[in-house]
Amino acid sequence: MSQETTAPEKSRRGPTSGWESETPVPDGHRFNSYLQVKDGELMLEDLNLLQVIKNGPHIEGLEETLPSPLEIVYLPLIRRQIGRMNGIFSEAIAEVGYGGRFLYAYASKANAAEEVIRTTLSAGAHHEMSSTVDVSIARIMIRRGLLPPERLIICNGFKTAGTDYARNIIRLREEHQQVIPVLEDLSELAPLISSGKSFNVGLRQKTYGPNLTTEEMEATNSRFGLNLDGIWKAADYIAAAPNLNLRLYHAMVGSQITDKDAFVDYLRPGMEVYARLRQRYPTVEIFDFGGGMPVALTLDFNFNTQAFAVRLLQTMQEVCERYGVPVPDIMGEFGRYTTAEHGAHLFKIVTVKENGSNLPWYIIDGSIMSSFPDSWCLGEHFICLPLNHLNQPFQRVQLGGITCDSDDVYPPKKSHSPLFLPVDTEGLTIGFFGIGAYQEMLGGVRGSKHCVLPEANELLVDRDADENLQFSIIRGQTNQDVLRNLGYHDKI
């Protein structure tokens, strides 16, 4: 979104994480697809966020106002993301005349909370996992009827012989037919072969650059997946095993890539490997392009997903035609893309300190570094906006958490992005948005946080069949919960 900025700010190149002007935000201004301003207050779609935590008119269906800090879990955004990507690939398949299907899988490591897994599965996503506890989650969802027999379960991660993960994948096969272990190492084959159970199997390979040659792929240093020699050995072993069937090739590029052409160029070497495998093993029918799909964590995000999908499919057509093999079904594993936007944290400004600094310090009633640790450890930017006073003047500020730690600040250290918040701090409440992927898992759900701050309440927001808002509350930690976590079992 374009915003008025001062001349010095126009030359900066940091991400845009909020309003960047001293002037008030115009009424009706839309920051992105789900955040907009109405009467000086911030709306998440049609939900007035300030009403959730202030004393005043209650929202219909919400029986109580909740204290700050507060985590918002807005589940409709998860379904929207899944529907959006399915729609994009459906249009791209029609546009290029692609002969395969698109398969959407949710990468559960991004956020394994029950409400998230329940929502992704109810939206029709296939399921990807990476650890032994994930198997237990899948079994629960199978018993609830949310993982029906036709849905794929992709098992990534290390699953060597003798591990609980390897044993539990084999047990899971007794309950679900479409379990696909994806090999990280040749040693993972032995338990599958000796199990006697029939398995479709995948092979994983990582590429670290665009358009790599065979020699360059072999030279990459990665703990993930197999090298080319291992790919061929594994394929031969699978073909020789009476109970195994090679079905999937996983070309992993890792973290999100925000250039659509570079993204496809990273995947092209894997497409070549897939086509060669398909020449020898006709059962290979899924090309899994893994993670890497970017999502809007800031307001200046720009990625043409439709153009990416078209180029990906066209490139796969070209490669397969050259090798004389059919095009595969295309699978994406979407973790951050699926869940980032559905999560938010709300905080109140409890004090302002001038402290001789060039910019005033606004102090929140919680912790930045423990609520969304990527801001502290990776310098990641997230959307930061006030919930109220948007129709009043702004000033450039620094934001600090309440912990006694010099890293508990926003914008992140070394950031060149300015942060503007309203000058009027009376009752000022702010929100951080786009923090629904990884942040809660990295911070430790129900764990003890830095400076022993209790975990905040969570407000789960969903909609019924008539689009009416529905609310449920997951209570945060009490002081006694934190003490018990740390080994203090005395009653206070």
Side-chain angles (χ1 to χ4, degrees), residues 249-266:
Y249 171 80
H250 183 183
M252 179 188 174
V253 299
S255 298
Q256 59 181 357
I257 299 176
T258 56
D259 182 302
K260 64 177 176 59
D261 294 322
F263 199 161
V264 175
D265 288 342
Y266 267 71

Side-chain angles (χ1 to χ4, degrees), residues 47-65:
L47 175 64
N48 186 314
L49 293 169
L50 189 65
Q51 286 185 2
V52 173
I53 60 174
K54 79 171 185 177
N55 293 322
H58 283 194
I59 301 172
E60 184 176 353
L62 182 60
E63 300 299 324
E64 61 180 296
T65 55

Side-chain angles (χ1 to χ4, degrees), residues 203-205 226-235 249 273 277:
L203 303 177
R204 189 182 198 187
Q205 187 174 24
L226 300 160
N227 59 19
L228 279 173
D229 182 59
I231 290 284
W232 290 110
K233 284 182 179 178
Y249 171 80
V273 175
L277 281 169

